[in-house]
Amino acid sequence: SPSKDFLAVKMIQCVQIMLYLSVLVAFAACNAPPVPLDDIFIEKTFVPEQCVRAVKVGDYVRYHYIGTFPDGKKFDSSYDRGSTYNVFVGKKQLIEGMDKALVGMCVNERSLVKIPPHLAYGKRGYGDIIPADSILHFDVLLLDVWNPEDGVQIKTYHTPSICSRKVEVSDYIRYHYNGTLLDGTLFDSSHTRMRTYDTYVGIGWLIAGMDQGLLGMCVGERRIITMPPSLGYGENGDGSDIPGQASLVFDVILLDLHNPRDGIAVTNQMVPESCTRKSVSGDFVRYHYNGSLLDGTFFDSSYSRNRTYDTYVGKGYVIAGMDEGLIGVCVGEKRTITIPPHLGYGEEGTGSKIPGSAVLVFDIHIIDFHNPSDSTEITVSYKPEECERQTKKGDFVKYHYNASLMDGTSIDSTYNYGKTYNIVLGANQVVPGMEDGLMEMCVGEKRHLVIPPHLGYGERGVTDEVPGSAVLVFDVELVDMEEGLPEGYMFIWNDDVSPDLFAEMDKDKDEQVEPSEFTDYIMRQVNEGKGRLAPGFDPYRIIDNMFSNQDRNGDGKITEAEFKLKADESAAHDEL
């Protein structure tokens, strides 16, 4: 049997023979005459992932190309001219082979096209550039395709869940866009300028395709608008970034729309069940709000400042739309007020937060309102059947109360302390509105008081307790009362006045009354029921004041010459 070494040698010889034969075949192929092309040959060197549209006969195309001979020698190039080649396909405006090769191509597709002479320039060639019977190679990149029958094409890729209104002719809109050619080349963007494009629609302020493509959009909608050059910038382009005969693609998001005829719109009203009064022009209103643009962009909120916005309405203190939107509201009401720019901040906006020509949306909550002409509103909720006497100025009254704001926010309550609040009516010990509300009241009576801020705590309020310009609500119950003295008196006699009054005071008989003698005497008369001090005040302070009024020369003593009863005074004093 053959040895292993013998077999290995034979194997090597076979491999050498095969290599020699392959070299001979390759040499023969290289030196053989070329096989003539019967038809065009297309090699696709790049195919885009998506082909939205393929070229058809009759379409107009824009493409770049490099033309070479089979040996690689270049005879022409659109790149060298800095301009695409633009032509109708299938209309005999091209050599026949190119007419065939372009059909079916997609935008951004790149192909190597080989065209035989009879589908190119044939036996005539083309001047000194292309010899007769030349095979031509074209490296083609398709950039654009459209048809004279094309209109605006719209593809909506985001629709908001709520669309209360759509763009109509003569509306004014604000939108962002990216503008590209059909091959994706960006030529403009409002985003890069960080400012919306603002315009009227349907009245010729825009290119025709955009005028059509924006109609019917909702705020927040996103759509792609594709238009042929006849509805864009036509044969000449825009002179810089948009070439002639270019299809345009706009990726648009609508942010805002209104019409110059618009008024304010009030929606989402939540009116409380009880509404005894609605705001009118001239009222002072306290309200909270969230302010946003029509696309939902937030620009301001009273909640973030933890303070209501306080203003007169109907007087021009706020923008016209808000002035109108705050009329006819109830305390506790919530509503959404949509304000067109001509009733808001107009074409200029406010600078950083509110752009020009922006529609504004305010979600408001009415906390309270009043009118400068308001008085204390008194509602009797309970009155006892028997009422011997009613409160008046000077009376010492004891009462319970629950205090709150108009929106129900609790301020204070005497019930929390387990004791009444005690005051002298007419002594400026409480706000004027409470003074009014406690007058002519019976013991056991209950009242509901609504006090406007000018009779309450005014514009300043009470720090951390009562907001400025707040309307106050008190539910009061009169528990007890002590009759006061006649106006101007701090002490009165219950019995006839002693004719020896000064002598009775002058206990040490030195013909002058010391402060201690005066105090002891008055307190004794009170304790024995012969006299009465004004209730609700410190008795010793009253007596000190009485002594000071009798001490005419201020030497700390009262002489008989100085001493006078009130009935003997020519000017009123609060003593005796």
Side-chain angles (χ1 to χ4, degrees), residues 175-334:
Y175 64 96
H176 270 304
Y177 70 88
N178 285 320
T180 63
L181 304 180
L182 206 58
D183 66 340
T185 301
L186 180 73
F187 61 80
D188 193 17
S189 174
S190 62
H191 296 282
T192 59
R193 295 189 294 274
M194 299 183 67
R195 182 173 181 179
T196 56
Y197 194 82
D198 309 339
T199 182
Y200 286 98
V201 178
I203 62 172
W205 283 29
L206 295 163
I207 54 177
M210 189 61 86
D211 249 352
Q212 295 177 31
L214 292 168
L215 292 175
M217 283 192 81
C218 304
V219 172
E221 181 177 336
R222 295 173 181 262
R223 60 170 57 171
I224 293 174
I225 303 171
T226 304
M227 64 193 70
S230 60
L231 299 176
Y233 289 94
E235 295 182 3
N236 299 320
D238 71 343
S240 58
D241 298 313
I242 300 175
Q245 300 290 32
S247 300
L248 306 179
V249 181
F250 290 92
D251 191 341
V252 175
I253 176 172
L254 185 65
L255 300 182
D256 197 346
L257 83 114
H258 75 277
N259 195 283
R261 299 186 299 272
D262 287 348
I264 68 166
V266 176
T267 55
N268 302 326
Q269 285 181 280
M270 293 178 59
V271 182
E273 292 182 6
S274 176
C275 179
T276 58
R277 176 178 175 180
K278 294 186 177 183
S279 62
V280 297
S281 179
D283 282 349
F284 191 88
V285 181
R286 294 175 55 245
Y287 64 98
H288 272 302
Y289 70 87
N290 285 319
S292 63
L293 304 181
L294 204 57
D295 67 341
T297 301
F298 169 86
F299 63 79
D300 193 18
S301 174
S302 62
Y303 295 100
S304 63
R305 295 187 292 274
N306 198 29
R307 182 176 180 180
T308 57
Y309 193 83
D310 309 337
T311 184
Y312 286 97
V313 295
K315 298 289 186 180
Y317 285 85
V318 289
I319 56 176
M322 186 62 82
D323 237 0
E324 184 181 347
L326 290 172
I327 298 295
V329 295
C330 304
V331 171
E333 180 175 339
K334 295 181 180 181

Side-chain angles (χ1 to χ4, degrees), residues 397-418:
V397 297
K398 299 179 180 181
Y399 63 97
H400 273 302
Y401 69 81
N402 287 317
S404 64
L405 302 179
M406 283 288 279
D407 65 349
T409 301
S410 178
I411 300 174
D412 195 14
S413 175
T414 55
Y415 296 100
N416 295 337
Y417 312 120

Side-chain angles (χ1 to χ4, degrees), residues 36-49:
L37 282 173
D38 293 329
D39 201 352
I40 63 171
F41 174 81
I42 300 174
E43 180 186 349
K44 295 185 177 183
T45 56
F46 177 78
V47 178
E49 291 184 4

Side-chain angles (χ1 to χ4, degrees), residues 331 367-368 376-377 401-412 434 447-453 457 466 470-476:
V331 171
I367 303 302
D368 75 29
T376 299
E377 181 184 319
Y401 69 81
N402 287 317
S404 64
L405 302 179
M406 283 288 279
D407 65 349
T409 301
S410 178
I411 300 174
D412 195 14
M434 181 61 80
R447 291 181 174 181
H448 180 78
L449 310 179
V450 179
I451 302 175
Y457 292 104
V466 180
V471 177
L472 306 177
V473 179
F474 285 90
D475 287 301
V476 299

Side-chain angles (χ1 to χ4, degrees), residues 481-551:
M481 62 175 289
E482 183 179 346
E483 187 178 5
L485 303 186
E487 188 172 356
Y489 286 81
M490 297 300 285
F491 173 86
I492 61 172
W493 295 98
N494 292 331
D495 296 327
D496 292 335
V497 181
S498 170
D500 298 323
L501 187 59
F502 184 82
E504 292 176 7
M505 288 185 183
D506 185 15
K507 200 170 184 180
D508 61 3
K509 306 304 179 184
D510 63 351
E511 297 184 352
Q512 56 187 13
V513 176
E514 301 285 344
S516 60
E517 293 175 313
F518 187 86
T519 299
D520 289 345
Y521 182 81
I522 296 297
M523 288 301 297
R524 187 167 64 252
Q525 306 310 305
V526 172
N527 293 333
E528 293 176 357
K530 296 178 181 179
R532 192 159 70 92
L533 290 167
F537 297 100
D538 181 350
Y540 293 101
R541 292 190 63 181
I542 294 177
I543 294 171
D544 286 346
N545 186 53
M546 292 168 62
F547 182 87
S548 297
N549 287 335
Q550 292 292 335
D551 182 14

